[in-house]
Amino acid sequence: ILESVDIHPGDELFMFGYPLGYEANEAGYPILRSGKIASYPILPCSIYKTFLLDVDVFQGNSGGPVIFYEKNRYIKDVESKKYYNFIAGLVSQEGEHREYTETINEEKIIKTKLSIAVVIHSRYIKETIDLLKEKR
């Protein structure tokens, strides 16, 4: 699907989650956020199992779906009069830089938040579900 719709860096994706346990309302709905694909290349999935999304992400976003939604998309310079709406992946972790320092008296880990979500391609979600179906 990603290839047929010509998904590429800079495309906007949407994600649902519960950052730090927050909910959108009393009914418990997740919070919708959006960001742009921030890594290249993202295909083929067999080589690049994850891609990066430029969005603030927190604990509680992990496992949330990442959705592509667009209307009248241009694919190879031709406007498509369709709606595209599919799960592109799921958030697996928050991107961060870790710096380790060590002295005689202490060890420190300094974590710097990168505002990047690491997203696993939906292909692997489908493969996992299919494996679970086979086990039944």
Side-chain angles (χ1 to χ4, degrees), residues 54-122:
D54 183 15
V55 62
D56 276 337
V57 63
F58 303 90
Q59 291 178 358
N61 286 120
S62 295
V66 176
I67 308 292
F68 178 81
Y69 174 82
E70 193 170 319
K71 175 181 165 185
N72 300 333
R73 180 173 177 81
Y74 280 86
I75 301 174
K76 298 184 176 149
D77 297 328
V78 177
E79 184 179 13
S80 170
K81 299 287 185 186
K82 297 179 184 177
Y83 285 95
Y84 295 95
N85 187 8
F86 56 86
I87 297 175
L90 66 81
V91 176
S92 66
Q93 67 186 56
E94 170 186 0
E96 63 184 18
H97 172 74
R98 292 179 181 226
E99 189 174 330
Y100 300 91
T101 60
E102 185 176 336
T103 65
I104 293 172
N105 297 320
E106 68 180 355
E107 294 178 15
K108 281 187 193 179
I109 300 173
I110 300 169
K111 296 179 187 177
T112 305
K113 187 176 162 71
L114 298 176
S115 297
I116 296 285
V118 179
V119 179
I120 296 174
H121 280 285
S122 60

